[in-house]
Amino acid sequence: MKILSFAGSNSRHSINKKFVEHALSHFSNHETTLLDLNDFPLPIYGIDLENETGIPESAIAFLNHIERADMLLISLAEHNGSYTAVFKNLLDWMSRKKSKCFEGKKMILLSTSTGGRGGRNVMDAALTRFPIHGAQILGYFCLPNFNDNFDLQSGVTHPELKRELEQLLTSV
């Protein structure tokens, strides 16, 4: 199985990137690709810009990665209760090229934050929105209090949360 993963953040120190890298390690028997949104620069979406210049190559390149994957593993960062601007902008551009930009792909959604809800607001938005764009969501997991519940070497440290995440990742 070809698994495409990324964090919905452009922070060089993204905790969601650390989290998705850890989750991806559970799929060592599969072909995996980890993308960085910084490698896909895009102008801020606007209909006038689209009409003048078309869909940027970076959005098309990202769609091509999705097309080649069998499953997506995404960890969504939360800014002010929603998607980060960089992820929302990518989604806007991709959906202009192809409304069902997730192409019916299986998807596992993750989120984490330093707060007690673990990115639950952005997760709720994604659970509602992504199926409209063709996602087949297999499951999701929100890790609260990242700094207290995650270690770079061992991953999730809280026993119950670790068990819940591993159950999700091995159910695929």
Side-chain angles (χ1 to χ4, degrees):
M1 177 168 39
K2 295 179 183 176
I3 301 171
L4 175 67
S5 65
F6 62 93
S9 172
N10 60 350
S11 170
R12 289 187 305 264
H13 307 289
S14 169
I15 61 175
N16 278 278
K17 185 170 185 184
K18 293 172 186 172
F19 189 36
V20 81
E21 285 175 323
H22 166 72
L24 193 60
S25 72
H26 286 76
F27 296 97
S28 59
N29 294 334
H30 300 277
E31 183 180 328
T32 61
T33 302
L34 176 65
L35 299 180
D36 186 326
L37 296 188
N38 289 306
D39 296 332
F40 299 87
L42 291 166
I44 301 281
Y45 177 78
I47 190 67
D48 294 335
L49 181 59
E50 181 187 351
N51 288 337
E52 291 167 14
T53 64
I55 307 293
E57 286 301 316
S58 288
I60 294 168
F62 206 92
L63 277 169
N64 290 338
H65 281 285
I66 291 172
E67 184 177 292
R68 290 189 297 269
D70 298 311
M71 187 179 90
L72 305 177
L73 177 64
I74 304 169
S75 188
L76 296 165
E78 183 176 282
H79 286 182
N80 295 315
S82 191
Y83 309 115
T84 62
V86 69
F87 178 74
K88 177 64 168 72
N89 192 48
L90 174 63
L91 182 60
D92 288 345
W93 278 113
M94 289 191 312
S95 67
R96 293 299 293 173
K97 175 72 175 167
K98 183 180 280 187
S99 176
K100 302 285 186 190
C101 58
F102 291 127
E103 307 229 351
K105 303 295 178 173
K106 296 174 191 168
M107 185 180 288
I108 293 177
L109 293 175
L110 307 173
S111 65
T112 190
S113 73
T114 56
R117 291 178 38 87
R120 186 61 208 210
N121 291 331
V122 72
M123 182 63 71
D124 288 343
L127 291 172
T128 299
R129 189 78 214 164
F130 286 12
I132 295 168
H133 292 292
Q136 192 180 5
I137 299 172
L138 301 177
Y140 65 92
F141 177 82
C142 300
L143 178 66
N145 304 308
F146 181 83
N147 294 329
D148 297 329
N149 292 320
F150 191 87
D151 176 80
L152 288 177
Q153 277 68 45
S154 57
V156 177
T157 57
H158 187 283
E160 290 173 36
L161 295 171
K162 181 179 184 124
R163 188 171 32 260
E164 185 180 337
L165 175 63
E166 288 177 354
Q167 199 169 32
L168 171 64
L169 297 176
T170 58
S171 69
V172 177

